[in-house]
Amino acid sequence: MASHASHGGSPTKRTFLAASLGLSGAALLAACGKSADSKRSALVVWHSYRGREKAALEEVAALYSAQVAGKARPVRCVGVPNDAFADKLSAAVPRGKGPDLFIFPHDRLGGWVESGKTVAPIDFFLNEEDRQSFLPGMLDATTYKGVTYALPLNFKSAALIYNKKMVPNPPRTTKELVEIATRLTDKGRGRFGFAYAYDDYFFHAGIGNGFGGGAFNAAGDLILNDPANVAASDLVRKWRSELNLLPDDPANSLVTALFNEERAAMVMSGPWFLGEASKSIDLGIAVLPMISEAGDKPMRPWMTIEAIYLAAGTPDEHEAWQFAKFLAGPQASAIMAQKGGQLPASQAAYSVPAIANDPIISAFKAQGALAVPMPNLPEMTLVWSPADKAMKRFTKMETTSQSAWNDCQTEVQAAIDALRASQAGGRA
């Protein structure tokens, strides 16, 4: 299962090797090059899948190619290392050297639109039936400034993953979470009722968003030092330092090891964790507990939505659209779910009994209904590193939550102001 987002840091990026292609980065771009005046023999799709996701995508591409044989070009899937994916797209597509389509999370959309010549709008092709075919909120994530640029394929968000032997009934509220965690925690012996990467803003946002905070408000203003974010951080400080419930080291690798060694009963993580969890553990998935300290509001973790984009300048947008619609449709979504382990964005995919009756998929779908699509604003890329730094400062008790978020707000706002000034200068 792929990782959860595309912001910086080891747990939030997939590192995929291009060794199977036998191509260097430069050779890969050259092999996929095209001019706007001529078509290649195949419709080229860039992706960063591997393992079962890669195999499932190739099966879908072969199925589509067989269906359109003689009427349209076959589809060729080209793997690109994830760490270099965004930069390769930004460099290649505006020069006519990129793919016809590409698969990528939604959070970089705003930056691509603002820089121009990278993604093509698809509103011309979308009818109302298409718009209603996705789970609620999914298409909003691939829309920027009122224009839609991609079709959602799958989603990922954190949820509560628990060891059924240790926790027969998962907590419904943070009050219950603390009660269970207190009973199961013996810090001296390295045992914990609950563990997660609490100094990683991606994970913490579930609590911050649940309190009513977040990174930006509806108007696009930065609100990192909002009282709701401070209250959420104070709650984590309490769990960490007053109640002594969380491990001193919140690294994702340690959280995984604790769970696999049955020294952590519950963790907050996403579908990517399932590939790392020990097969000997009977695990369950549940919606994250409601926040007792916020009037039983639900936790609302960030959600990343992987989508299929039409690259700007593709020679035949209609042909590219036909494959995009097929890949996002019920038949392909069911294959990607059952064989690729993905959580489909397609409504119709859940009419397949094997998907509808899968307890893990059902639990993540329920969590997804409460999750918040990660902002696709260009400014969001400026938030991650300073926010992670703020998390580390207050969880280590180096400063107060308010002070940490005030400093973070100042740092990120300065970076945003510089970015906007640069954009304005570029348009002048």
Side-chain angles (χ1 to χ4, degrees):
M1 182 65 68
S3 181
H4 60 267
S6 56
H7 79 271
S10 58
T12 56
K13 277 192 174 181
R14 292 169 295 198
T15 304
F16 293 162
L17 301 176
S20 61
L21 296 173
L23 294 172
S24 67
L28 178 62
L29 290 177
C32 297
K34 70 175 190 295
S35 72
D37 300 322
S38 62
K39 288 186 182 180
R40 291 173 291 219
S41 59
L43 197 66
V44 173
V45 181
W46 281 8
H47 67 92
S48 57
Y49 292 150
R50 60 178 179 177
R52 59 193 295 212
E53 286 184 309
K54 176 178 180 286
L57 176 63
E58 289 173 348
E59 179 177 332
V60 168
L63 179 63
Y64 177 81
S65 298
Q67 290 184 8
V68 300
K71 294 178 287 185
R73 291 178 292 163
V75 173
R76 181 162 63 92
C77 301
V78 177
V80 179
N82 188 72
D83 281 353
F85 203 140
D87 290 339
K88 285 184 185 297
L89 282 167
S90 298
V93 175
R95 294 168 39 235
K97 300 293 185 181
D100 296 289
L101 306 103
F102 62 90
I103 297 169
F104 202 84
H106 77 281
D107 55 305
R108 293 292 292 265
L109 173 58
W112 283 327
V113 174
E114 294 294 346
S115 64
K117 299 181 180 179
T118 305
V119 290
I122 60 172
D123 288 299
F124 173 80
F125 298 108
L126 277 170
N127 59 36
E128 192 56 32
E129 183 180 352
D130 296 328
R131 293 182 181 278
Q132 298 301 320
S133 66
F134 301 101
L135 296 176
M138 296 284 168
L139 203 61
D140 293 339
T142 60
T143 299
Y144 181 73
K145 292 186 176 179
V147 178
T148 304
Y149 289 90
L151 293 180
L153 299 179
N154 63 78
F155 65 94
K156 298 176 177 72
S157 81
L160 189 73
I161 302 176
Y162 63 99
N163 184 321
K164 292 182 179 180
K165 182 177 72 175
M166 302 171 74
V167 183
N169 300 300
R172 294 166 299 169
T173 65
T174 53
K175 182 176 182 291
E176 292 180 9
L177 174 74
V178 167
E179 290 171 355
I180 295 171
T182 300
R183 187 172 70 250
L184 295 176
T185 297
D186 184 342
K187 203 165 184 179
R189 297 174 60 205
R191 297 185 176 277
F192 300 90
F194 182 48
Y196 73 105
Y198 56 80
D199 66 353
D200 184 326
Y201 181 59
F202 178 87
F203 290 105
H204 175 72
I207 303 172
N209 294 339
F211 267 89
F216 299 91
N217 63 18
D221 301 317
L222 190 69
I223 57 166
L224 289 169
N225 63 348
D226 185 88
N229 287 327
V230 174
S233 300
D234 284 340
L235 176 60
V236 176
R237 278 166 61 103
K238 180 179 179 180
W239 291 348
R240 163 81 167 84
S241 300
E242 292 181 34
L243 302 181
N244 224 21
L245 294 177
L246 298 173
D248 292 335
D249 182 357
N252 276 281
S253 56
L254 177 68
V255 171
T256 302
L258 288 172
F259 187 81
N260 285 343
E261 294 164 13
E262 297 194 282
R263 292 191 292 126
M266 299 176 285
V267 299
M268 183 199 300
S269 196
W272 55 88
F273 185 86
L274 302 181
E276 304 167 356
S278 170
K279 305 306 179 194
S280 65
I281 295 175
D282 183 13
L283 61 78
I285 314 290
V287 170
L288 290 164
M290 295 182 293
I291 306 170
S292 306
E293 298 80 0
D296 284 344
K297 291 179 181 176
M299 288 194 198
R300 305 194 68 202
W302 288 136
M303 176 166 59
T304 56
I305 295 160
E306 211 159 37
I308 178 80
Y309 298 79
L310 270 63
T314 182
D316 191 333
E317 287 191 352
H318 177 75
E319 188 180 34
W321 161 256
Q322 292 300 320
F323 178 70
K325 184 172 181 178
F326 180 81
L327 183 60
Q331 183 182 14
S333 294
I335 292 171
M336 295 302 295
Q338 291 175 276
K339 297 187 177 181
Q342 294 188 347
L343 303 169
S346 165
Q347 292 262 29
Y350 294 91
S351 63
V352 176
I355 296 173
N357 299 329
D358 186 308
I360 289 178
I361 292 177
S362 297
F364 275 116
K365 182 187 177 190
Q367 182 67 76
L370 298 169
V372 179
M374 200 182 297
N376 62 19
L377 302 170
E379 295 85 354
M380 188 63 193
T381 59
L382 304 174
V383 170
W384 296 112
S385 181
D388 285 348
K389 182 169 67 177
M391 297 291 306
K392 288 174 172 59
R393 289 181 65 205
F394 68 70
T395 54
K396 290 180 178 178
M397 305 299 286
E398 293 176 1
T399 186
T400 64
S401 302
Q402 183 71 68
S403 177
W405 284 122
N406 284 345
D407 291 346
C408 184
Q409 174 85 12
T410 300
E411 180 181 349
V412 177
Q413 188 61 59
I416 289 174
D417 292 343
L419 172 67
R420 291 175 177 170
S422 173
Q423 289 174 337
R427 289 190 289 266

